[in-house]
Amino acid sequence: AQQVQAILREHAGRLGEIIARAGLPHDLPDAQAARAATPLGSSAGPLKPVLDEVFRPLGYAGKGGSGVFTLRRRTAANTTIELSLDVGTWSHSYTGSWGVHGLGFGGLLPLPPAAAGHPRAQYPIGDAAQWRRIVENIAALVAEYDRSVLPEVEAAAGPSPDWFSP
């Protein structure tokens, strides 16, 4: 668990580099600028269809709750990767995290939708086109975490038993 936490802290400290390596497909402004540019009353409509369309090819599936979507996938080492995507019941703003869980360990990294700004800032969802850009950006970051962070975590932690479920 301590080794996994050290790996996650190290990667969190290099978040800008990881975001650059991920090659986010959309150059979104920071949350404050996006909020200023989002017209009042903007609606993205149903959010889950875009999540399913973008994340299913990456092996993620999940469900929605009251203002939160949880998408999961399980690796060959029985590690569970969980995306927690808070879309705000009232705020219509996004914040998210990439979680890694195995027997005896777990941890989180932020999933900012934009390279600029604070990685844990609430980001306005806006309209359907803006929501798609947000989802495509976080999918690129998730793919990079899965390529670069996950192998280090699994090498340090080893496999979890088949029966393990967080």
Side-chain angles (χ1 to χ4, degrees), residues 43-142:
S43 174
L47 303 179
K48 190 165 187 313
V50 174
L51 290 171
D52 288 342
E53 176 189 332
V54 172
F55 281 100
R56 188 170 290 127
L58 298 176
Y60 288 88
K63 60 183 180 216
S66 179
V68 176
F69 291 97
T70 303
L71 306 175
R72 287 183 166 191
R73 79 176 185 89
R74 196 166 168 96
T75 72
N78 296 316
T79 302
T80 299
I81 307 302
E82 182 176 274
L83 311 179
S84 178
L85 311 174
D86 185 333
V87 294
T89 305
W90 298 101
S91 69
H92 300 291
S93 294
Y94 159 84
T95 55
S97 62
W98 179 90
V100 59
H101 307 280
L103 184 62
F105 72 90
L108 301 173
L109 287 172
L111 280 175
H118 191 280
R120 297 188 193 279
Q122 289 187 334
Y123 202 91
I125 291 171
D127 61 13
Q130 179 74 349
W131 175 240
R132 176 169 290 281
R133 288 188 291 269
I134 289 167
V135 171
E136 289 173 352
N137 275 6
I138 61 175
L141 186 54
V142 164

Side-chain angles (χ1 to χ4, degrees), residues 12-39:
R14 296 184 310 133
L15 187 57
E17 173 190 320
I18 294 169
I19 290 171
R21 210 171 45 235
L24 304 184
H26 306 286
D27 184 20
L28 299 178
D30 68 26
Q32 184 176 2
R35 196 170 295 106
T38 302

